[in-house]
Amino acid sequence: MSEKNVHIKVNHVTRVEGHGNIVVDINNGSIEKCEWQVPEAPRFFEAMVVGRHYSEVARITSRICGICSIGHTIASVKATEDALGIEVSKQTKLLRRITKLGETFDSHILHIYFLIAPDLLNVQSVFPLVETHKEVVTRALRLKKLGSQWAGLISGRSTHPTKIIPGGLSALPKESDLAQLKKSILESLPDVEETAKLLLDLVPNLPEFNRETEYVGLVDDYEYGFYDGKIGSILPNGDRDSIELNEYKSVANEWVSPLSTAKYTKHKMESYMVGALARININFEMLHPKAKEMAMKLNFTLPCYNPYFNSVAQFIECVHSAYTTVDYIDQLLESGIKQENLVLPTKFGKGVGAADVPRGILFHEYIYDKEGFCTMGNCIIPTNQNHANIQLDMEKLVPEMLKDDLTEKQMELKLEMLVRSYDPCISCSTHYLKVKFKK
Amino acid sequence: MAKVKCAWFDFASCEGCQVELTNLGSTFLALLEHVELVEFREVMSEKTTGKIDIAFIEGSLTRETDEKRLMEIRERSNIVVAYGSCSVTGGINALKNHLEEDEFKKLVYAKDKDMRHLDSRMAKPISSVIKVDYDIPGCPISRDEFLRIVYQLVHQSEKIYTPSYPVCVECKLRETICRYEANDHCMGMVSLAGCGAPCPADGIPCEACRGLVRDSNQKSLEKVLINKGNLSERWAKDKSRMFTANFREEK
């Protein structure tokens, strides 16, 4: 091994949502510091919801994240519905599922094209590609716009949705709008195929790095776990576990690290991973047949322990989202959209809701008093659950890079790419915690 | 004509207003014909230390260190635009302002609340620290309004126009049935318009995410919320905290 000196300090990693730092100090070939730091300004959402009426809570917690605000709204509304004894209709669930798939597509396209692809094409951002690869940029913008319209059609808008409220939807889409969405998705399939070709070209540029870890995500008998289900986990030895939602705290064991304004979590191993790669490792069998075909085309095999492949898993989920949405729209058009009243509360108490949002499993929990005002809120964000896994990946990756005698610049890029591959949503992750409201 | 150098910066926020730009589709490419992006951390690795023509700033200030960074941005920017409600009014972040610092920290971080890196104070708009030239409010911003204001800035229009009338005007214009007619409540009569009033049209109340109109009457608002909206006294009092706590008297 070299007597190398390496000093990496990336303040505010770019092309991620929120603020994170990478710090590595190597003196005379010995690693003295190797840290993933989260200095994001804490925003205290769990304190904000206390005292708010149940009809307002999801509109507050939606603001935790501008990219997965639909996921936050859905998890939040579901937790509130659980606390209020509300069972929504099958039609509501199907419409919300379509919205969830739209957000998954939307967020993954943003990540793949705007945040990941520049590293693999040796540019600093997607914008220089306007000169050199204009078709890539126009395709990215077309797909991103489709994702935003798809996620926003039923929910009102893709950033901070309006129509998803406790008890159902505040307004229903027209059948003609759903038919138009189906048409737009089908028309985008050539763009999806082109994206597959681009990925096939780029996958060989992804670093070879593997670290066995535990994967956690929703498991649902109805569909590939996005909207509903229990908490599923899979260990490297293949052992699976399925845990009830209200036991979520036994999965996300939290602890405060001085490195981070966000909290860390661990379950059966020292860390676990959530997000597309985790979901696909857990739920592969539930993917749409077309998505499984795409996985084969991309030579994606299971189990996959390379975090850099998260974006490949995301793309497979995009294909799943497109075809599944088309199926769901067909079902809805066949039965016709029925006007339904909002389901009203039958009780006021404590409830938990979860959704597997683009970056992984998300938990919301609330307690309401008998007048419907919130007395306690707790949100456990996917990126929080990944922080410890990122840290442990770095601790394995840095010695490997040192052994391979990489330059400081090469190391820095690989570490940044590692962080980006998780698609971290750091501004989200800084409001996570067991919260007890003491009167 | 040389392209206008634009940069985006963020403080405490969800970054959703920045994400809205990526939803512009081909319009975004048209925009790039007039505008050069020189810094935009969420989607770019390129950075600048040079002069900026227009700095768009998302997010509110919650820490002392934020203020230094903001002043440094102001110094090298010709025009500063507060981008999104967090930056214009403090936005949703200000919802914690009515709690004592110790109280909101304890609620979220319990026994760890005094760890130094968890420092957070009142959420403040950026105008509390620097001179702001223009506001683009909204949670999220309206893409149309953003494009219109950028158009006017790029063409150096004499007056950048943003409405000062309430959201009710926009509901009437688009013939949305009033939320009070639907047995709901609403803050449209005291809320700053410019968004096109999407929320009442989608069947939910306006909660003044863009801020309040000048001289809005809090006492009358409470009365209407109680008498016409059937809100409890406690709820009516707290309603306007949703996005506009900064406008309230601090206790």
Side-chain angles (χ1 to χ4, degrees):
Chain A
M1 199 176 294
S2 62
E3 298 291 293
K4 198 174 246 176
N5 291 308
V6 175
H7 299 285
I8 296 173
K9 176 125 180 75
V10 184
N11 255 335
H12 299 178
V13 177
T14 56
R15 304 205 320 268
V16 300
E17 205 264 0
H19 303 84
N21 302 339
I22 296 168
V23 181
V24 174
D25 278 326
I26 301 172
N27 287 316
N28 291 323
S30 99
I31 301 167
E32 289 173 3
K33 206 172 198 182
C34 168
E35 288 175 0
W36 164 235
Q37 304 175 340
V38 179
E40 183 79 20
R43 288 165 69 214
F44 300 95
F45 273 87
E46 291 101 335
M48 293 180 199
V49 294
V50 170
R52 302 309 313 189
H53 189 255
Y54 76 82
S55 62
E56 299 165 342
V57 166
R59 285 201 289 276
I60 296 169
T61 50
S62 155
R63 268 75 186 182
I64 290 175
C65 176
I67 303 181
C68 41
S69 58
I70 286 178
H72 274 285
T73 300
I74 286 178
S76 180
V77 161
K78 281 173 53 185
T80 296
E81 288 170 345
D82 186 40
L84 270 45
I86 292 172
E87 178 64 40
V88 296
S89 71
K90 203 178 151 216
Q91 175 177 288
T92 295
K93 282 186 190 166
L94 208 48
L95 288 166
R96 288 182 184 174
R97 283 180 199 276
I98 291 175
T99 304
K100 192 73 202 47
L101 291 165
E103 177 183 67
T104 304
F105 184 94
D106 190 38
S107 170
H108 286 354
I109 289 294
L110 179 75
H111 187 234
I112 294 167
Y113 273 101
F114 290 79
L115 312 185
I116 291 290
D119 282 332
L120 303 176
L121 293 162
N122 288 320
V123 284
Q124 297 269 295
S125 72
V126 76
F127 305 114
L129 300 177
V130 175
E131 307 296 330
T132 55
H133 302 70
K134 192 159 184 185
E135 75 293 348
V136 175
V137 182
T138 50
R139 192 193 316 132
L141 288 167
R142 261 200 311 271
L143 288 170
K144 180 69 185 71
K145 194 173 181 181
L146 167 69
S148 165
Q149 285 169 340
W150 172 358
L153 175 74
I154 294 160
S155 68
R157 60 187 177 202
S158 58
T159 308
H160 307 318
T162 48
K163 297 180 189 170
I164 300 173
I165 61 174
L169 292 156
S170 65
L172 291 170
K174 290 196 227 99
E175 286 170 19
S176 57
D177 290 339
L178 288 173
Q180 179 56 47
L181 174 61
K182 175 182 164 180
K183 193 167 162 262
S184 304
I185 292 172
L186 292 175
E187 282 169 0
S188 78
L189 290 177
D191 277 348
V192 172
E193 283 304 318
E194 286 301 314
T195 309
K197 279 189 206 154
L198 178 74
L199 268 184
L200 256 182
D201 285 346
L202 295 184
V203 164
N205 301 346
L206 288 173
E208 254 313 313
F209 168 76
N210 288 284
R211 188 178 70 82
E212 290 190 351
T213 190
E214 180 182 6
Y215 291 115
V216 173
L218 277 184
V219 283
D220 184 8
D221 295 335
Y222 185 88
E223 65 169 11
Y224 183 89
F226 277 130
Y227 178 79
D228 234 340
K230 292 183 182 179
I231 309 163
S233 106
I234 186 166
L235 289 166
N237 65 10
D239 276 1
R240 282 170 180 271
D241 202 353
S242 157
I243 301 135
E244 294 294 335
L245 277 195
N246 55 20
E247 298 288 311
Y248 76 98
K249 283 179 184 161
S250 74
V251 178
N253 292 292
E254 318 135 327
W255 48 288
V256 173
S257 158
L259 300 183
S260 161
T261 50
K263 294 201 116 194
Y264 282 24
T265 60
K266 60 179 175 182
H267 183 221
K268 289 185 178 163
M269 296 173 70
E270 276 309 293
S271 69
Y272 63 86
M273 182 179 180
V274 299
L277 188 63
R279 283 190 293 262
I280 214 163
N281 271 289
I282 297 171
N283 285 320
F284 186 84
E285 283 313 312
M286 299 293 279
L287 279 174
H288 193 283
K290 292 279 188 189
K292 285 185 190 164
E293 261 175 49
M294 183 56 77
M296 291 238 312
K297 215 188 241 177
L298 294 170
N299 307 314
F300 183 85
T301 52
L302 290 173
C304 175
Y305 292 111
N306 183 345
Y308 291 97
F309 272 66
N310 193 39
S311 42
V312 179
Q314 287 179 329
F315 179 65
I316 296 167
E317 288 190 342
C318 287
V319 176
H320 169 84
S321 298
Y323 284 98
T324 307
T325 297
V326 168
D327 290 352
Y328 287 172
I329 291 177
D330 284 343
Q331 283 177 40
L332 283 163
L333 292 179
E334 205 183 297
S335 57
I337 296 283
K338 292 180 216 53
Q339 288 305 315
E340 293 176 333
N341 292 329
L342 287 180
V343 184
L344 296 173
T346 57
K347 61 168 182 142
F348 292 99
K350 181 175 167 175
V352 179
D356 220 307
V357 301
R359 289 153 197 79
I361 194 164
L362 163 69
F363 304 101
H364 281 232
E365 181 184 13
Y366 307 108
I367 300 176
Y368 292 100
D369 68 17
K370 58 183 192 315
E371 286 164 65
F373 292 94
C374 185
T375 59
M376 190 280 308
N378 187 21
C379 309
I380 297 192
I381 312 298
T383 295
N384 276 112
Q385 300 170 68
N386 278 335
H387 284 321
N389 214 58
I390 295 174
Q391 174 68 35
L392 290 181
D393 278 354
M394 276 178 55
E395 287 172 19
K396 180 165 188 276
L397 180 60
V398 169
E400 285 181 12
M401 293 192 297
L402 195 59
K403 203 170 142 214
D404 293 343
D405 207 21
L406 264 54
T407 65
E408 192 171 288
K409 271 277 148 239
Q410 288 169 323
M411 286 191 188
E412 186 174 314
L413 177 64
K414 244 181 162 175
L415 285 167
E416 284 194 49
M417 284 171 72
L418 174 75
V419 168
R420 272 184 210 118
S421 73
Y422 279 82
D423 195 5
C425 201
I426 303 164
S427 60
C428 279
S429 72
T430 48
H431 349 93
Y432 142 31
L433 224 243
K434 280 177 189 159
V435 189
K436 292 262 171 1
F437 183 58
K438 292 184 190 86
K439 280 211 167 143
Chain B
M1 196 171 79
K3 286 189 185 181
V4 177
K5 286 186 170 49
C6 291
W8 269 261
F9 299 95
D10 40 54
F11 292 86
S13 68
C14 76
E15 300 182 16
C17 292
Q18 291 175 71
V19 171
E20 278 297 284
L21 292 182
T22 64
N23 294 329
L24 289 169
S26 55
T27 308
F28 193 77
L29 285 180
L31 188 66
L32 289 183
E33 284 172 27
H34 304 278
V35 155
E36 182 192 349
L37 302 182
V38 289
E39 183 161 342
F40 192 161
R41 187 197 48 80
E42 194 172 11
V43 290
M44 289 169 70
S45 292
E46 297 94 331
K47 284 183 184 168
T48 177
T49 49
K51 276 273 177 205
I52 298 163
D53 293 318
I54 310 175
F56 294 90
I57 298 177
E58 181 174 354
S60 32
L61 307 175
T62 59
R63 300 187 283 203
E64 230 175 277
T65 48
D66 294 342
E67 299 184 6
K68 286 187 203 102
R69 194 175 144 230
L70 183 65
M71 286 190 268
E72 186 271 326
I73 296 168
R74 174 72 262 190
E75 261 169 39
R76 59 197 176 96
S77 305
N78 187 20
I79 295 172
V80 168
V81 178
Y83 183 74
S85 285
C86 289
S87 162
V88 176
T89 68
I92 198 86
N93 298 317
L95 188 45
K96 76 174 185 350
N97 285 1
H98 67 285
L99 296 169
E100 299 294 335
E101 187 175 322
D102 199 55
E103 205 177 340
F104 63 71
K105 280 190 184 166
K106 203 158 70 188
L107 274 171
V108 178
Y109 292 99
K111 66 174 172 39
D112 301 312
K113 69 178 168 61
D114 293 325
M115 289 170 84
R116 256 185 63 217
H117 65 303
L118 301 178
D119 177 41
S120 178
R121 292 145 199 239
M122 294 240 295
K124 293 188 290 192
I126 62 167
S127 60
S128 65
V129 172
I130 59 162
K131 175 177 168 279
V132 174
D133 300 290
Y134 303 102
D135 288 342
I136 305 183
C139 184
I141 57 142
S142 144
R143 281 175 243 163
D144 290 343
E145 188 177 42
F146 162 77
L147 286 173
R148 185 171 50 74
I149 290 175
V150 170
Y151 177 90
Q152 291 174 328
L153 288 176
V154 167
H155 293 282
Q156 299 174 351
S157 300
E158 287 205 354
K159 185 166 166 51
I160 308 289
Y161 177 74
T162 47
S164 53
Y165 48 78
V167 167
C168 289
V169 174
E170 291 183 329
C171 271
K172 300 296 169 286
L173 278 172
R174 62 186 285 182
E175 300 183 359
T176 301
I177 295 172
C178 181
R179 292 310 300 155
Y180 286 94
E181 293 298 317
N183 294 321
D184 197 359
H185 66 280
C186 192
M187 288 180 61
M189 58 285 201
V190 293
S191 308
L192 208 51
C195 50
C199 295
D202 285 352
I204 62 168
C206 168
E207 288 169 331
C209 75
R210 296 168 60 91
L212 300 175
V213 289
R214 252 182 63 194
D215 304 328
S216 65
N217 186 334
Q218 172 70 21
K219 282 276 165 266
S220 288
L221 171 70
E222 284 172 27
K223 237 186 247 172
V224 173
L225 289 171
I226 294 168
N227 296 335
K228 307 248 183 227
N230 291 319
L231 262 54
S232 62
E233 210 169 300
R234 159 194 178 189
W235 190 3
K237 262 193 159 38
D238 277 356
K239 186 71 208 184
S240 59
R241 282 199 205 281
M242 280 288 280
F243 291 92
T244 53
N246 274 330
F247 293 103
R248 303 279 301 245
E249 282 170 42
E250 294 308 324
K251 58 176 184 187

